[in-house]
Amino acid sequence: MLAEHFSAYTQWRGEVASGITDLRKWLQQNEVGDAQSDLRLQYLLDRLREDKLIVAFVAEFSRGKSELINAVFFAGYGNRILPSSAGRTTMCPTELQWEDGDTPCIRLLPIDSRRSNASISELKRFPDEWRVRPLDTSSAESLQAALAQVGETRIASREEAEALGFPIDESGEKGIRPDTGGTVEIPAWRHAVIQFPHPLLEQGLVILDTPGLNAIGAEPELTLNLLPNAHAVLFILAADTGVTQSDLAVWREHVNAGRRQRGRLIALNKIDGLWDGLRSEADIEREIAGQVASVAATLDVAPEQIYPVSAQKGLVAKVNNDDDLLTRSRLPELEYALSTELLPTKRDIVRDNTYGEVQDIIARCRELLGARLSGLREQLTELTDLRGKNQNVIEYMMRKVRSEKDEFEQGLQKYYAVRSVFTNLSNNLFGHLGLDALRDETRRTREAMLDAAFSRGLRGAMKGFFQHLRNNLKKSTDEIAEISKMLDAMYKRFTVEHGLKLAAPSSFSTLRYEKEIERLEDAFNSQFDTVLNIVTTEKHTLTQKFFETVAVQARRTFEIANRDAEQWLRAVMAPLETQVREYQLQLKRRLESVKRIHQATDTLENRVNELQQAETQLVRQLAELQALSERVEHALDLPPIGEPAQPLAA
């Protein structure tokens, strides 16, 4: 079921990409648009090709999480693929993915990598930091043996475990419990990436398998980056235990921390434990319903968000083609819910982003073709009116075109002045939004934290870091407003004075980056800014953890902001530059045309015929552009331009 929905989504994405590819080829062949539009369309195609759908499975140990992944995704192998047995089988965050050109393997990041300041995202860029083990996909048994490596552990002293970021607690409730000798068992690996040629993974699905609470808490990047970026989070509980204190901690601190509503599901696993053969189906149903109601009340969610299942029976049913057992396991209901939560949410995101970009590019191209057609028709009217006129009239027309050319060149001086101011304002914007400023603030914050003598100084340095980021985003907003105001005035000037077809420049907002910084600060407040954490964590360790998680995520946010700002700045100047060049060419052609007619009146009819043919071609190009626009919009399930747009489906 999930595979069918996913295939439909992949086909939809391919149709959209095909429409954009044809649009890009047409613009290139007809010399319409500009280099910036071509880059924007290529960027859209790259995003569609590399599009990923991330499903995160989150649970405490022994809730049947790995078995549920096996049942949903890997039953076709006729056996379990991920290790699934009593106790802890997943000891580190594990990503299952596949891209064209990959080799089947397991990439394992040693736990000792936590001693550096590098995040997992950064370390992914350096293959030599990982241990690569080949993966034999020829049989389920060989896959089982290889994938069991994600559960490997090693013994460490209490001091070493704490230095690596693992919380230690004598009771075992809020951390790893040491044995009688004072040693603890810790994961051998910090992160695992399994490259596996599964049909769904080949289409862009990424499965994120997470370990229990202690391991989640020891890897802040999981909660700061991987989980928030997942398109669906499936939280798994066990029917035989209900919601334990550790389950509740995982829910509050990691799954429900951002109060996300879309893409958040709860599976109440192991309902087959209630099938004891001594009760009627009605009694079993009442008990399951009671469990669901209890979980809903504890987690403060609607009962409809909770799906009671038996992953183990569902897997057995799929392997043995037992439809009755599959129905009783209720696994299809969860798969359907996962499909309807995951795919529409992701599709809406892709559709909104793609539609906005394509609509803007097509509008700019339509303006350009409209300007060409308008200028050509004006020239055609002028030349048609010259039929039968004497040389004096032709000379007057030539003087008139020269005068227009001189006026436009005077207007160009203002345009060049605006370009200079635009460059200065852009430099100011990147002075606030740029990575150099962030790098300097990161260095100052690190020095302040290391120099702090008391916890108040540590807390103040970390809070100051967020305040600086917010201030820089506010200053960036002010610069963007100034740039928009200036460009709007210049667009209007050239539209009124020279008749250029220019729509208002597109807007740009820093709100999305401000929201991301707010989310980071909330995560910081819950994970770092606690009295217990600041008092009990050694200063250098706390500084290192802060910078390898929070600061790295902040940098990634500002990198995206820089990229988006650069793209916006190029996009808002490109239409004006293109129209200015086009108008210059039109004036040059008009002047040359009248000159030729002045020199030889017998060329007038030939020139009129040429212009009429060019007019026919431009009208045809506008019709072809409209057809390409409607094709992309049809693929996106949007109404054509000219019809009222309906709200996008939720």
Side-chain angles (χ1 to χ4, degrees):
M1 184 181 299
L2 181 60
E4 293 172 3
H5 285 85
F6 204 101
S7 295
Y9 170 78
T10 303
Q11 182 181 355
W12 170 83
R13 196 176 59 196
E15 290 171 357
V16 173
S18 175
I20 293 174
T21 299
D22 288 349
L23 171 63
R24 183 170 178 241
K25 287 179 181 176
W26 185 90
L27 294 178
Q28 291 171 342
Q29 291 168 356
N30 290 273
E31 298 181 354
V32 181
D34 48 47
Q36 177 57 26
S37 296
D38 189 67
L39 284 173
R40 291 168 72 186
L41 288 173
Q42 182 59 52
Y43 177 65
L44 277 179
L45 290 171
D46 290 343
R47 281 199 312 196
L48 286 168
R49 185 179 63 252
E50 297 167 2
D51 181 46
K52 300 292 184 186
L53 289 98
I54 304 170
V55 184
F57 286 73
V58 180
E60 263 292 36
F61 291 113
S62 301
R63 301 298 186 264
K65 173 171 49 63
S66 297
E67 187 79 328
L68 187 57
I69 296 175
N70 284 323
V72 173
F73 298 106
F74 301 126
Y77 283 85
N79 206 332
R80 295 181 176 88
I81 299 301
L82 288 181
S84 176
S85 58
R88 304 180 176 189
T89 55
T90 304
M91 294 299 295
C92 66
T94 303
E95 295 177 69
L96 288 86
Q97 58 184 246
W98 181 262
E99 293 183 7
D100 288 340
D102 280 350
T103 301
C105 67
I106 304 177
R107 299 173 60 223
L108 299 161
L109 182 64
I111 196 67
D112 287 330
S113 64
R114 282 192 179 160
R115 298 184 189 278
S116 71
N117 293 326
S119 67
I120 293 170
S121 301
E122 185 177 358
L123 288 167
K124 284 181 178 179
R125 303 174 188 171
F126 302 98
D128 57 322
E129 296 291 333
W130 298 70
R131 305 292 179 267
V132 180
R133 310 278 174 80
L135 196 60
D136 179 8
T137 60
S138 61
S139 71
E141 290 74 18
S142 59
L143 282 173
Q144 279 181 327
L147 297 184
Q149 295 173 88
V150 301
E152 291 176 347
T153 61
R154 67 179 176 85
I155 301 301
S157 67
R158 178 173 185 149
E159 293 73 20
E160 182 186 8
E162 289 178 332
L164 291 172
F166 291 98
I168 307 298
D169 179 32
E170 296 293 341
S171 68
E173 293 180 2
K174 297 182 179 179
I176 303 175
R177 183 176 183 176
D179 61 19
T180 54
T183 60
V184 293
E185 185 182 20
I186 63 171
W189 311 110
R190 180 181 179 185
H191 198 84
V193 177
I194 299 173
Q195 295 173 184
F196 179 58
H198 182 275
L200 290 180
L201 303 184
E202 289 171 355
Q203 295 180 65
L205 179 68
V206 176
I207 301 170
L208 176 60
D209 188 9
T210 63
L213 175 62
N214 292 338
I216 288 179
E219 188 59 71
E221 188 174 357
L222 190 61
T223 51
L224 294 175
N225 179 23
L226 296 175
L227 287 180
N229 289 331
H231 302 106
V233 175
L234 185 59
F235 181 54
I236 299 129
L237 299 166
D240 55 352
T241 60
V243 184
T244 66
Q245 285 300 313
S246 59
D247 288 325
L248 198 56
V250 172
W251 170 260
R252 289 173 176 169
E253 296 173 20
H254 305 295
V255 179
N256 202 39
R259 297 291 172 187
R260 59 186 293 163
Q261 296 300 319
R262 292 298 305 271
R264 185 189 65 185
L265 301 173
I266 301 159
L268 184 61
N269 194 20
K270 302 187 179 182
I271 60 169
D272 54 293
L274 305 176
W275 306 349
D276 60 7
L278 299 178
R279 288 179 293 180
S280 66
E281 284 296 322
D283 290 337
I284 294 172
E285 287 297 318
R286 276 194 294 272
E287 184 162 354
I288 291 174
Q291 286 266 41
V292 168
S294 175
V295 170
T298 303
L299 301 184
D300 191 24
V301 298
E304 292 76 22
Q305 283 185 261
I306 301 169
Y307 295 85
V309 296
S310 170
Q312 191 268 336
K313 299 303 181 188
L315 176 61
V316 171
K318 285 186 174 183
V319 170
N320 296 328
N321 295 316
D322 188 336
D323 291 339
D324 292 337
L325 183 59
L326 184 62
T327 300
R328 196 177 185 199
S329 75
R330 303 197 186 188
L331 191 63
E333 297 170 27
L334 175 63
E335 290 179 329
Y336 179 78
L338 195 59
S339 300
T340 56
E341 284 285 337
L342 169 64
L343 297 175
T345 301
K346 179 60 174 173
R347 178 167 158 160
D348 287 351
I349 294 170
V350 172
R351 183 170 63 172
D352 289 352
N353 292 341
T354 305
Y355 174 67
E357 285 286 308
V358 171
Q359 185 184 48
D360 186 58
I361 291 168
I362 288 177
R364 302 298 185 193
C365 295
R366 189 178 283 111
E367 288 169 4
L368 177 62
L369 289 174
R372 287 181 184 176
L373 186 60
S374 176
L376 188 147
R377 283 174 171 167
E378 183 178 347
Q379 190 180 164
L380 188 58
T381 300
E382 290 174 351
L383 296 186
T384 303
D385 290 344
L386 289 178
R387 283 170 169 161
K389 303 295 182 183
N390 58 31
Q391 284 295 106
N392 291 334
V393 174
I394 296 174
E395 288 174 359
Y396 166 76
M397 183 64 67
M398 192 159 62
R399 288 195 301 272
K400 177 173 177 288
V401 176
R402 279 179 175 155
S403 174
E404 287 182 26
K405 185 172 181 290
D406 291 340
E407 287 178 9
F408 184 70
E409 286 175 349
Q410 291 175 7
L412 278 181
Q413 299 305 314
K414 297 174 184 175
Y415 164 74
Y416 293 134
V418 168
R419 278 299 315 239
S420 178
V421 176
F422 174 82
T423 300
N424 290 334
L425 289 174
S426 298
N427 290 337
N428 292 341
L429 171 61
F430 288 114
H432 305 309
L433 201 61
L435 298 180
D436 288 341
L438 179 62
R439 194 177 298 112
D440 291 341
E441 179 58 25
T442 301
R443 176 180 48 77
R444 284 194 295 269
T445 303
R446 184 189 295 275
E447 291 173 354
M449 290 180 69
L450 293 174
D451 291 342
F454 302 101
S455 59
R456 181 181 297 177
L458 273 172
R459 180 180 282 118
M462 291 187 285
K463 286 187 173 294
F465 179 77
F466 287 108
Q467 185 60 48
H468 177 84
L469 299 189
R470 285 196 298 271
N471 289 342
N472 273 15
L473 286 173
K474 183 181 183 305
K475 291 174 184 175
S476 300
T477 299
D478 295 339
E479 295 291 346
I480 290 167
E482 192 68 26
I483 292 171
S484 298
K485 181 180 177 182
M486 182 195 69
L487 285 175
D488 190 53
M490 179 52 67
Y491 271 48
K492 288 177 180 176
R493 176 190 290 274
F494 273 78
T495 299
V496 172
E497 295 182 2
H498 305 292
L500 271 60
K501 306 295 184 183
L502 289 164
S506 58
S507 60
F508 182 68
S509 171
T510 61
L511 180 62
R512 76 195 81 172
Y513 320 116
E514 293 169 9
K515 292 289 187 185
E516 178 61 17
I517 296 302
E518 285 179 14
R519 185 188 69 77
L520 270 179
E521 188 166 19
D522 289 342
F524 155 75
N525 288 332
S526 64
Q527 293 210 22
F528 289 94
D529 191 21
T530 64
V531 174
L532 179 63
N533 194 33
I534 290 179
V535 170
T536 58
T537 306
E538 196 269 331
K539 182 170 63 176
H540 285 78
T541 301
L542 184 64
T543 301
Q544 178 175 324
K545 289 176 68 175
F546 180 81
F547 282 99
E548 72 181 19
T549 54
V550 174
V552 166
Q553 283 301 113
R555 179 182 175 83
R556 186 173 292 110
T557 299
F558 270 69
E559 284 175 347
I560 294 171
N562 269 258
R563 183 199 67 200
D564 292 347
E566 283 184 20
Q567 186 170 327
W568 174 72
L569 290 170
R570 289 196 297 265
V572 292
M573 282 304 296
L576 185 56
E577 291 172 340
T578 302
Q579 292 265 10
V580 165
R581 286 196 304 270
E582 187 69 25
Y583 193 69
Q584 282 180 303
L585 284 172
Q586 287 179 16
L587 286 172
K588 183 179 179 181
R589 292 190 190 110
R590 284 174 61 195
L591 186 58
E592 290 174 350
S593 181
V594 177
K595 275 182 181 178
R596 288 202 306 269
I597 293 163
H598 182 265
Q599 293 164 358
T601 54
D602 59 343
T603 63
L604 176 60
E605 288 301 323
N606 291 337
R607 184 59 182 155
V608 168
N609 288 335
E610 288 175 7
L611 291 175
Q612 287 174 337
Q613 290 174 8
E615 179 188 29
T616 301
Q617 182 180 2
L618 279 171
V619 171
R620 176 179 56 77
Q621 286 178 333
L622 280 166
E624 290 174 350
L625 180 62
Q626 178 64 22
L628 287 164
S629 170
E630 290 177 358
R631 178 185 167 187
V632 174
E633 287 161 358
H634 177 73
L636 288 166
D637 296 334
L638 289 165
I641 292 176
E643 295 183 17
Q646 300 299 317
L648 293 178

